[in-house]
Amino acid sequence: MAKILVTGGAGYIGSHVVKLLGENGYEVLTYDNLSTGHKWAVLYGDLIKADLADKETLRKVFKEFKPDAVMHFAASIVVPESVKNPLKYYRNNVVNTINLLEAMEEFGVKNFIFSSSAAVYGIPEKIPISENAPLNPINPYGETKATVERILRDLANSRDNFRYVSLRYFNVAGADPEGKIGFAYPEATHLIIRALKVAKGEIEKLEIYGTDYPTPDGTCIRDYIHVMDIAEAHLIALEYLLDGGESDVFNCGYGHGFSVKEVVETVKKVTGRKFKVIEAERRPGDPPFLVADNSKIKEKLQWKPKYDDLEFIIKTAWDWENKLKKKLLD
Ligand code: UDP
């Protein structure tokens, strides 16, 4: 079975992919500096605790593990932080990716799967957004993802022995339905996680950032996708590359969205808790609508999402949220 090196495999999305790879018999090695990830989240294979800036360790890992493919999740992901500290984002997300690509080149590893983001589109002109929409990121985080996509395109054009798939994630949420892993970052900025922490009483109130958007109820609409469906997309992208597929870029979303108010109502319903919600100012840089056109990944990779159900997404996230504290103390 193929050997897969997973950077950021101890983080939120990476750990779900490691689980799926392990369940499907792949040999996995996680490379993670544990800055936001957790050792317990790596359910299959070994964990190398190291930074992608550490080229010596990286080279050693390639030399010894000899991966057939690399999946690259390790990145800094907090948009407001990227606005305050762009150099950290360019270093972690762009420079470290170049280190990884150089190691792949040196050790002749051909296949690369990249965690990209709908943030590369910025404020889209057309909804749903298709992959050929222009890349116009509106924050440094999105810029770093778009920059890496351009590097990948140029690298694939420059030689025959490098192919990649870039997956542009929409709003990833939910947790492993078996409850072994889930979102466990120190900061909770995302809507569903924040709403659950408010429902639990860990945060006092939920703020709705903007109620005057040009949407039916005035709040922003997003395409929320279950983390296990995202993980599945990585698995089929991997099979596609290992079977000799050409380099390509795919949106990962369900193709329909929910407003902030709809999400809040669903959180109340699923948790059975009432909590304080207040209307607040718009958050800078939020596009009113972000919904994927997912026809390409469905047609070309035959991706079949299993969990396109907001209540299920929130239920798995809620079950996980209720286990998280204990897990962090383990
Ligand atoms: N949002 C909100 N209150 C919060 C967190 C998020 O109203 O406490 C809104 C945010 O402005 C956006 C949507 O929820 O319109 C989704 O935000 P999130 O940070 O989850 O994901 P993003 O779309 O920014 O990647």
Side-chain angles (χ1 to χ4, degrees):
M1 205 63 178
K3 295 203 260 183
I4 318 299
L5 179 67
V6 182
T7 76
Y12 174 45
I13 302 174
S15 63
H16 288 79
V17 174
V18 166
K19 180 173 187 257
L20 208 58
L21 287 168
E23 286 169 352
N24 281 276
Y26 287 96
E27 202 178 320
V28 192
L29 180 63
T30 291
Y31 191 101
D32 197 304
N33 65 8
L34 298 184
S35 58
T36 55
H38 302 274
K39 192 169 183 288
W40 51 256
V42 181
L43 299 177
Y44 288 88
D46 289 334
L47 164 71
I48 306 287
K49 182 181 179 298
D51 200 282
L52 287 169
D54 176 359
K55 293 193 200 180
E56 272 322 295
T57 305
L58 195 55
R59 291 184 72 252
K60 194 162 168 270
V61 164
F62 272 86
K63 199 170 174 188
E64 287 169 10
F65 185 61
K66 300 184 176 62
D68 298 292
V70 174
M71 290 189 175
H72 181 35
F73 298 92
S76 296
I77 58 157
V78 181
V79 171
E81 187 195 28
S82 80
V83 176
K84 286 199 193 99
N85 194 354
L87 292 180
K88 172 179 171 184
Y89 277 69
Y90 281 93
R91 178 161 297 284
N92 284 347
N93 296 1
V94 180
V95 177
N96 284 350
T97 301
I98 293 175
N99 290 347
L100 183 61
L101 293 169
E102 283 175 345
M104 286 178 67
E105 183 160 52
E106 181 178 348
F107 292 94
V109 182
K110 293 204 275 241
N111 304 300
F112 188 72
I113 297 185
F114 179 58
S115 296
S116 188
S117 165
V120 298
Y121 296 117
I123 299 181
E125 279 162 22
K126 271 199 293 186
I127 292 287
I129 313 162
S130 79
E131 288 83 352
N132 47 30
L135 303 192
N136 277 320
I138 53 169
N139 52 59
Y141 167 73
E143 286 288 355
T144 64
K145 292 290 174 181
T147 302
V148 171
E149 284 206 5
R150 293 186 177 111
I151 292 171
L152 294 174
R153 179 201 58 200
D154 293 347
L155 189 58
N157 285 337
S158 76
R159 52 198 186 96
D160 292 332
N161 63 349
F162 176 79
R163 284 167 311 118
Y164 72 95
V165 165
S166 183
L167 297 174
R168 293 179 182 157
Y169 310 156
F170 282 65
N171 286 61
V172 186
D176 165 32
E178 290 179 6
K180 292 183 181 159
I181 46 177
F183 186 91
Y185 277 48
E187 289 156 272
T189 59
H190 293 304
L191 176 63
I192 293 179
I193 300 286
R194 281 193 80 77
L196 293 173
K197 288 191 187 291
V198 178
K200 246 182 112 187
E202 280 180 24
I203 300 176
E204 189 212 335
K205 58 179 187 290
L206 183 75
E207 291 174 318
I208 296 186
Y209 301 140
T211 51
D212 58 351
Y213 283 98
T215 58
D217 67 15
T219 65
C220 290
I221 293 180
R222 294 289 181 273
D223 187 337
Y224 296 91
I225 170 171
H226 195 281
V227 63
M228 231 47 225
D229 276 332
I230 281 275
E232 190 74 37
H234 286 77
L235 221 73
I236 55 175
L238 174 67
E239 284 160 12
Y240 165 83
L241 280 183
L242 294 175
D243 284 349
E246 290 302 308
S247 296
D248 216 335
V249 175
F250 299 95
N251 282 339
C252 284
Y254 290 144
H256 57 88
F258 295 94
S259 72
V260 175
K261 283 187 175 165
E262 286 171 327
V263 170
V264 171
E265 285 315 304
T266 314
V267 169
K268 286 183 177 165
K269 183 175 168 198
V270 169
T271 61
R273 307 255 173 112
K274 291 201 175 86
F275 53 85
K276 191 168 166 191
V277 180
I278 61 160
E279 297 188 355
E281 289 295 297
R282 287 185 179 197
R283 189 174 69 174
D286 273 340
F289 283 97
L290 271 182
V291 172
D293 176 344
N294 63 10
S295 47
K296 187 173 171 189
I297 189 167
K298 281 184 162 166
E299 279 157 28
K300 199 164 173 187
L301 300 186
Q302 271 97 53
W303 179 63
K304 292 186 190 68
K306 291 190 191 130
Y307 305 112
D308 180 359
D309 173 348
L310 186 63
E311 284 190 25
F312 184 80
I313 292 175
I314 292 173
K315 171 84 174 66
T316 54
W318 178 237
D319 291 346
W320 170 253
E321 196 57 43
N322 286 306
K323 284 187 185 162
L324 179 60
K325 265 238 166 84
K326 184 178 170 300
K327 201 85 198 171
L328 292 177
L329 295 173
D330 276 356

